[in-house]
Amino acid sequence: MRYTPTSDGERDCTFTGCPRWTNGPGNPFCQHHHSRWTVAGRPDPVQWQADLRAKAGMRQVPHVNLARLDRGLRLEVQYGLQCRHDEANKRTTARAVTLAVKRLADAGVTSILDLDEDGWRTFFGTNRRIYEGKRLYASVSLKFVLDTRIRLQRLLIGDDPWADQYPREVWDLRLLGVAAAGLRFLRFGGIAQPWLGELARRWCRWRLAQGLTVSTVHSNLLGLTSFAARFAAHAGPAAGPEQLTRQEIESWLAGGRPAGHIGGVGRFLRDVQRHGWAPGIPGNALIFDDFPRKPASKPRWISEHLMRQLESETNLALFGNDDARLILRILIHCGLRLKDARHLPFDCVVRDNSDAPYLAWINHKIHQRAAFFPIAEDLATRIADQQTMVLARFPDGCRWLFPALKVNLDGARPMPDISFRDYLDTWLRRIRLVDEHRRPARVTAHQFRHTLGTRLINADVPQHIVQQLLDHMSPQMTAVYARLHNSTVRAHWEKAVKVNADGHTAAIPADHPLASAAWTRLSLVRAKVTLPNGYCGAPVQTDCEYANPCLDCRFFITTADFLDQHRRQRDDTDKLIDDAQAAGLSRIAERNRRTLGRLDAIITALETTGPGQVLAGGTVETLDAAS
């Protein structure tokens, strides 16, 4: 479905056949064609498009001429091209490779390995005037040269890359096959003590072999490097393991370290002592409960005002990509992390013996653990439609439910993180998401997980069930939502109208000094006794002389939740009065008239509160001047 822009700054790209839209006033093209138009010198848009179409018509089959290169260098470039073709996960244009070949010939080298990465970056950065108007292609050609250099290094290393990288002060994670986006190196040069540097290498290798993420190991190494620098400054770079005492650790902690660094050093010391890697380190050289105190985290849930806009089918129809739209639905209804949703396997829907569908997903945060979430038939149908579209694109099958749209010929890559975030941000601008004060609002993908947890707790789903559904590692993670539920219930109660046995409104000022204590105590009261037409407001230790709820009790409190019960009791009481009068039982009739009067007062007070003021569970005590 083609999106029709609605704001003054949003228009269709004027490039013929382009489905994208402009990202600001004054731009005739989308971001992609705007970059190409800018590189061309911003000529007349109409003539520029005509020239591009003419060139496309005269264009021959793309080819790269390697005749200028020596035999060895030519084989290296051919190897790089073959690897790019086989993996099919990076865009490789003939123009960019041709420029790379020209630069390699100008460099006068016999092998791409003759220069390191910094050397090639410096060489490609010189004589930019020669390549004016081709800087985009120059960047791509540099990446091709560097990528080929890494592949050649892997060939030289052979089957044991650790033997090559382990002794080095800088590990190239690409050669080890564990590189992550933005993290390509682990640096040990900041650790002055040789024995501590050896322990750091051994520990990092062991952690990577365990399957920990590169970002976690990198963060741990930063903390260990910080500790080693403080240790060297205090005890000297020649200090041995026996000098790494608890006093040294406390001295480092006194500098106010990040919790992540403290945790990394603590884990390092525990692992070293557990494996016996450094027997000379004192046994008390550990980090116990030395983490800085911080306030309890609060769930970053999305308000229902925003969720109504985000869940609107009209707004969802404006999402710019069908795959990303389905990911958004899964985030909303299942509370997955974005990484887990992007990496959903193709066959991700399973059914139990009653044919109820479940979403089978992998929790990448907890050691690739399998988890299941019950889903509605509607969502299962949408996933089946997505599977059909994926099979139409990859008839031989695909590993992922959401394969990447570009540079993914064999379906080996899932949708990138940045792609979904771009789709989400664009969509939020299109639907003009606003908060309760009409201010522009923005949400993140992970907030949908917090929102689902909050909704489940507020719907009285047991906490251990919520923990299982969201696949939390510990009850403490789910308890964050439970604390929010308690405050939510209290807020609803404070907004509801409470009526006592005399029909008078019972209110608790939110700023009363005993409000919090009263809420806690009356939560226990609610657990102690719940009446069919209200709550008992008596102290917990008070014994009740009545076997049944009595409207004459001074502790009786009720709300509009019990209005129907009061009406039925009034009708029954009215009938009892008529029967007592007919039987000549004036005393019983008089007692029931007093009850009837109280019921009339209660019903009148509750009916005047207006619709919508209903308590969603909980009770409260009267705290006023009279009490």
Side-chain angles (χ1 to χ4, degrees):
M1 183 182 69
R2 186 178 176 87
Y3 166 66
T4 302
T6 55
S7 72
D8 295 336
E10 301 174 4
R11 301 189 310 279
D12 286 332
C13 177
T14 58
F15 196 91
T16 304
C18 180
R20 303 181 185 91
W21 58 295
T22 63
N23 57 357
N27 289 341
F29 302 111
C30 64
Q31 183 176 358
H32 171 72
H33 290 111
H34 181 78
S35 298
R36 296 183 60 185
W37 180 56
T38 301
V39 169
R42 299 197 176 193
D44 178 69
V46 177
Q47 185 61 42
W48 177 64
Q49 293 187 57
D51 294 341
L52 286 181
R53 286 192 293 270
K55 291 180 180 179
M58 297 183 297
R59 190 172 298 160
Q60 301 176 355
V61 177
H63 66 281
V64 178
N65 188 354
L66 304 180
R68 297 185 57 186
L69 301 179
D70 294 337
R71 183 172 172 5
L73 198 54
R74 188 187 313 154
L75 288 174
E76 292 178 351
V77 174
Q78 289 172 340
Y79 175 71
L81 288 172
Q82 186 65 49
C83 291
R84 287 283 187 106
H85 177 270
D86 294 341
E87 296 173 2
N89 59 6
K90 293 182 180 179
R91 188 183 180 197
T92 309
T93 64
R95 185 174 183 181
V97 177
T98 298
L99 185 57
V101 170
K102 184 177 187 311
R103 297 297 283 150
L104 288 171
D106 294 343
V109 296
T110 58
S111 172
I112 296 178
L113 297 175
D114 289 348
L115 295 179
D116 58 12
E117 284 200 8
D118 292 337
W120 281 117
R121 294 183 188 278
T122 302
F123 180 76
F124 269 76
T126 60
N127 280 333
R128 284 187 177 271
R129 288 178 295 179
I130 299 177
Y131 302 99
E132 187 175 354
K134 301 180 181 179
R135 292 187 183 180
L136 292 177
Y137 292 98
S139 175
V140 176
S141 63
L142 172 61
K143 291 180 181 178
F144 171 76
V145 172
L146 297 181
D147 182 60
T148 303
R149 186 180 185 279
I150 287 292
R151 298 178 190 278
L152 294 173
Q153 283 184 289
R154 289 176 183 167
L155 281 179
L156 294 177
I157 290 175
D159 297 331
D160 191 4
W162 282 106
D164 175 78
Q165 292 294 305
Y166 186 83
R168 299 177 183 269
E169 287 192 351
V170 179
W171 288 358
D172 192 328
L173 299 176
R174 294 169 296 178
L175 298 176
L176 298 174
V178 294
L183 290 175
R184 297 181 177 179
F185 303 99
L186 289 182
R187 305 179 187 277
F188 301 89
I191 303 178
Q193 304 86 347
W195 62 271
L196 188 55
E198 173 63 23
L199 286 178
R201 290 182 179 85
R202 187 173 184 180
W203 184 61
C204 287
R205 182 179 62 179
W206 177 70
R207 298 271 280 173
L208 290 173
Q210 282 189 310
L212 271 73
T213 62
V214 173
S215 59
T216 299
V217 177
H218 180 263
S219 176
N220 294 161
L221 182 58
L222 290 179
L224 186 57
T225 302
S226 170
F227 172 75
R230 178 64 182 82
F231 182 37
H234 189 264
E242 64 282 352
Q243 294 178 260
L244 201 163
T245 61
R246 172 67 187 178
Q247 184 177 0
E248 292 292 342
I249 296 174
E250 293 176 354
S251 176
W252 175 70
L253 293 172
R257 311 298 173 179
H261 288 186
I262 296 175
V265 174
R267 176 59 65 92
F268 168 77
L269 294 173
R270 289 195 301 272
D271 290 340
V272 167
Q273 297 211 4
R274 182 178 63 172
H275 294 291
W277 289 342
I281 297 179
N284 67 341
L286 295 171
I287 291 180
F288 304 99
D289 55 347
D290 301 304
F291 292 89
R293 299 289 182 257
K294 61 179 182 179
S297 59
K298 296 182 180 180
R300 295 178 288 119
W301 53 277
I302 305 172
S303 70
E304 291 300 322
H305 175 81
L306 296 178
M307 287 302 299
R308 283 192 293 271
Q309 302 173 61
L310 297 170
E311 293 175 316
S312 167
E313 289 297 328
T314 302
N315 287 338
L316 286 171
L318 299 178
F319 215 100
N321 178 268
D322 293 337
D323 292 10
R325 183 192 297 113
L326 182 55
I327 290 180
L328 178 63
R329 292 183 187 273
I330 292 174
L331 296 180
I332 293 175
H333 296 293
C334 304
L336 270 63
R337 300 179 185 89
L338 178 56
K339 180 177 182 179
D340 299 332
R342 293 188 301 105
H343 287 81
L344 278 174
F346 179 82
D347 295 317
C348 61
V349 176
V350 297
R351 295 181 180 269
D352 59 15
N353 54 359
S354 62
D355 202 38
Y358 293 78
L359 183 71
W361 58 285
I362 303 299
N363 191 337
H364 292 81
K365 187 175 182 179
I366 311 179
H367 304 298
Q368 307 285 330
R369 187 167 71 184
F372 302 90
F373 195 99
I375 58 176
E377 286 290 349
D378 175 69
L379 184 57
T381 302
R382 295 180 186 276
I383 292 176
D385 294 339
Q386 173 69 14
Q387 291 171 333
T388 302
M389 290 188 293
V390 172
L391 287 178
R393 182 182 172 192
F394 302 101
D396 295 334
C398 179
R399 178 183 176 186
W400 311 110
L401 181 64
F402 301 106
L405 297 179
K406 298 180 180 179
V407 198
N408 194 26
L409 296 179
D410 57 355
R413 298 173 57 239
M415 176 180 288
D417 177 274
I418 187 64
S419 295
F420 177 82
R421 296 184 188 278
D422 286 344
Y423 285 127
L424 179 62
D425 290 341
T426 301
W427 177 63
L428 294 178
R429 294 196 301 269
R430 288 180 178 177
I431 66 174
R432 295 181 179 82
L433 185 69
V434 293
D435 61 13
E436 293 83 348
H437 305 287
R438 308 302 299 173
R439 298 175 301 186
R442 183 181 179 275
V443 299
T444 63
H446 195 70
Q447 283 183 276
F448 293 109
R449 181 173 176 84
H450 289 270
T451 303
L452 179 65
T454 303
R455 282 178 164 180
L456 292 174
I457 290 292
N458 285 349
D460 292 327
V461 178
Q463 182 174 331
H464 69 281
I465 299 297
V466 178
Q467 178 185 351
Q468 183 177 355
L469 288 173
L470 298 181
D471 201 34
H472 281 153
M473 290 186 292
S474 64
Q476 288 74 17
M477 298 178 66
T478 314
V480 176
Y481 306 115
R483 290 195 296 271
L484 175 70
H485 169 63
N486 182 68
S487 61
T488 303
V489 171
R490 176 175 177 175
H492 280 290
W493 174 265
E494 289 175 346
K495 293 179 181 178
V497 173
K498 280 70 67 178
V499 179
N500 59 19
D502 295 325
H504 298 155
T505 300
I508 290 189
D511 57 349
H512 195 284
L514 297 180
S516 296
W519 170 255
T520 303
R521 181 176 63 79
L522 289 168
S523 296
L524 299 176
V525 172
R526 183 187 177 192
K528 168 187 154 186
V529 57
T530 302
L531 308 179
N533 56 352
Y535 301 107
C536 178
V540 181
Q541 298 84 358
T542 302
D543 293 328
C544 181
E545 57 183 293
Y546 303 101
N548 296 304
C550 181
L551 295 177
D552 291 328
C553 179
R554 64 189 179 91
F555 294 118
F556 179 74
I557 298 176
T558 188
T559 73
D561 289 333
F562 305 100
L563 192 54
D564 291 338
Q565 291 92 319
H566 292 309
R567 288 169 177 162
R568 287 195 297 269
Q569 186 178 0
R570 187 195 182 286
D571 294 340
D572 294 340
T573 303
D574 194 34
K575 186 176 183 302
L576 284 174
I577 293 174
D578 293 340
D579 293 344
Q581 286 178 336
L585 303 174
S586 59
R587 203 169 165 185
I588 294 179
E590 180 61 28
R591 186 193 309 171
N592 281 286
R593 286 194 187 95
R594 190 166 60 249
T595 301
L596 185 66
R598 290 186 178 276
L599 285 170
D600 286 337
I602 291 174
I603 292 172
T604 301
L606 293 177
E607 288 178 338
T608 57
T609 61
Q613 296 183 346
V614 180
L615 175 64
T619 186
V620 75
E621 182 183 15
T622 303
L623 293 175
D624 51 20
S627 63

